Amino acid sequence: MNEKEIVALTDENIMNTYKRFPIVLTRGLGAKVWDVNGKEYLDFAAGIAVCNLGHSQPKVIEAVKEQLVKLTHVSNLYYTEPQTQLAKLLVDHSFADKVFFCNSGAEANEAAIKLARKYAHENMGPDKFELITMKDSFHGRTMATITATGQEKFQFGFTPLLEGFTYVPFNDLRALEAAISAKTCGIMLEPIQGEGGVNIPDENYLVSVREICDRHGILLIIDEVQTGMGRTGKLFAYEHSGIKPDIMTLAKALANGLPVGAMLATDRIAKAFVPGNHASTFGGNPLTMAAASAVVETILNEGILENCRSIGDYFLSQLRELQQKHPIIQEVKGKGLMLAAKLDMETGDIVNECMKRGLLVISAGSKTLRFVPPLIITTHDVDCAIKVLDEAMEGK
Ligand SMILES: *Cc1c(COP(=O)(O)O)cnc(C)c1O
């Protein structure tokens, strides 16, 4: 099928939940993708912060190929080694003692909300079920996770929402303290808000949130679905702050493009789940587990974090220079390779101009350009992207 046919047939047969760009992608390698007409793009979207190791990563391909011909799925009625291996890797390299596997970020957060409620029910009493989440947060599209998401645009039309959620502004410790009530069982937040605009926590904000949780004996749930797996220059973004959460969720980059999610917790909290409490048919299937183990090992052993930090710093400095030239850029922000440029206008035009010139970038909210390239990019890739951005912003 050609581009026109694919676009027409897609729009005819697939529900209208996405506003897609009118290109059809067929192939990817490293930080590049190609469309059906053979046009090449530098991919600074990486499937929305998913392909952290780049497209067609050899170690991931090898792991998937090897597992695919052995065993793809048997359910969680039985033990499988790939699941054991990934769980051990994640436990060894995080605060957590236990993992639950699922298939997406929303599912991981759904599992976290259930675990928090179950733990609270058993250890704090049945009246403590409320979670405090942040305005401008994003936690997924299921009923519980749109309720947790502190943005009305994701909730509109889907009421009644779930009971037991309340919202405070990110970076506002006073509002957070004030929101804690006799019903509160935990606080849930992203260490850097992704979809909400790449909002960075103030110095010591997360330390203070941890202190508040400890003082009130409530749980700290960190959503690392976007920030995890090296995106910010550490394996997990909470590591920058020196604190440890009680529960953490992962998905997006965990298997570099295969659908997998994980919810991790300390032993004390994880004990609240017993057989029958939660489950997923596909969760932890050998194929995605093998891919994810290859991802974690590659991130840890092949200088990915170091590259993310140094290229991230370089990219940030180049974006600051671009800001000097283009007054439409109000603010440049981010950490590692989770970077953004807040504009004084809607991003649509710039995103389209970049795409025409062979650069894929995405937005976070309506006025923030978001850059979440593969963590393997080079300074040359950054220079190419900056050149395209410079051209796309000319005369704006
Ligand atoms: C993308 C995202 C989610 C939702 O993940 P899905 O896999 O789309 O369900 C949840 N939380 C954060 C922080 C995200 O960026």
Side-chain angles (χ1 to χ4, degrees), residues 21-42:
F21 294 104
I23 60 172
V24 177
L25 299 173
T26 55
R27 187 163 70 84
L29 186 66
K32 299 220 164 94
V33 291
W34 287 265
D35 74 13
V36 70
N37 303 318
K39 180 172 171 176
E40 181 180 292
Y41 301 86
L42 183 58

Side-chain angles (χ1 to χ4, degrees), residues 104-106 109 138-140 190 195 223 225-226 251-252:
S104 70
N109 286 329
F138 183 78
H139 298 296
E190 298 152 87
E195 307 302 308
D223 178 346
V225 168
Q226 187 159 161
K252 287 199 165 82

Side-chain angles (χ1 to χ4, degrees), residues 25-232:
L25 299 173
T26 55
R27 187 163 70 84
L29 186 66
K32 299 220 164 94
V33 291
W34 287 265
D35 74 13
V36 70
N37 303 318
K39 180 172 171 176
E40 181 180 292
Y41 301 86
L42 183 58
D43 183 8
F44 272 36
I48 318 185
V50 166
C51 302
N52 282 12
L53 300 179
H55 299 277
S56 303
Q57 208 280 340
K59 294 252 162 77
V60 179
I61 291 178
E62 210 36 58
V64 170
K65 270 188 177 167
E66 205 178 295
Q67 190 58 46
L68 183 65
V69 292
K70 260 204 252 171
L71 188 68
T72 304
H73 177 85
V74 288
S75 88
N76 288 294
L77 295 171
Y78 314 99
Y79 288 85
T80 58
E81 193 177 337
Q83 199 178 113
T84 316
Q85 275 173 348
L86 177 60
K88 173 105 175 80
L89 269 174
L90 291 175
V91 165
D92 283 352
H93 292 95
S94 74
F95 75 95
D97 304 307
K98 291 282 197 296
V99 190
F100 173 84
F101 289 117
C102 50
N103 314 286
S104 70
E107 268 185 69
N109 286 329
E110 192 83 25
I113 293 165
K114 280 184 72 177
L115 180 62
R117 282 193 171 188
K118 186 83 187 331
Y119 176 84
H121 196 93
E122 278 167 12
N123 297 277
M124 304 173 180
D127 299 328
K128 276 199 187 262
F129 54 82
E130 195 166 86
L131 285 174
I132 300 172
T133 67
M134 302 295 144
K135 293 192 173 144
D136 294 325
S137 59
F138 183 78
H139 298 296
R141 301 295 201 134
T142 62
M143 282 309 305
T145 56
I146 60 167
T147 306
T149 294
Q151 300 193 59
E152 272 169 25
K153 69 176 179 193
F154 294 109
Q155 303 169 336
F156 183 77
F158 300 109
T159 50
L161 300 174
L162 216 65
E163 245 186 276
F165 287 82
T166 185
Y167 315 96
V168 297
F170 190 62
N171 274 332
D172 188 338
L173 289 166
R174 213 174 279 175
L176 184 60
E177 280 269 18
I180 292 174
S181 73
K183 290 189 211 159
T184 310
C185 74
I187 297 169
M188 176 169 176
L189 81 174
E190 298 152 87
I192 294 174
Q193 291 189 324
E195 307 302 308
V198 187
N199 304 318
I200 307 292
D202 293 339
E203 185 84 27
N204 284 324
Y205 175 67
L206 293 172
V207 173
S208 302
V209 173
R210 178 72 268 182
E211 277 167 13
I212 290 172
C213 288
D214 292 341
R215 192 149 23 86
H216 293 270
I218 59 175
L219 302 177
L220 177 57
I221 305 170
I222 298 238
D223 178 346
E224 295 243 18
V225 168
Q226 187 159 161
T227 53
M229 311 320 293
R231 175 54 57 192
T232 69

Side-chain angles (χ1 to χ4, degrees), residues 323-338:
Q323 185 183 13
Q324 300 304 311
K325 240 179 116 177
H326 297 282
I328 60 161
I329 303 180
Q330 286 187 328
E331 189 190 357
V332 165
K333 53 187 174 174
K335 198 160 188 74
L337 282 168
M338 184 171 178

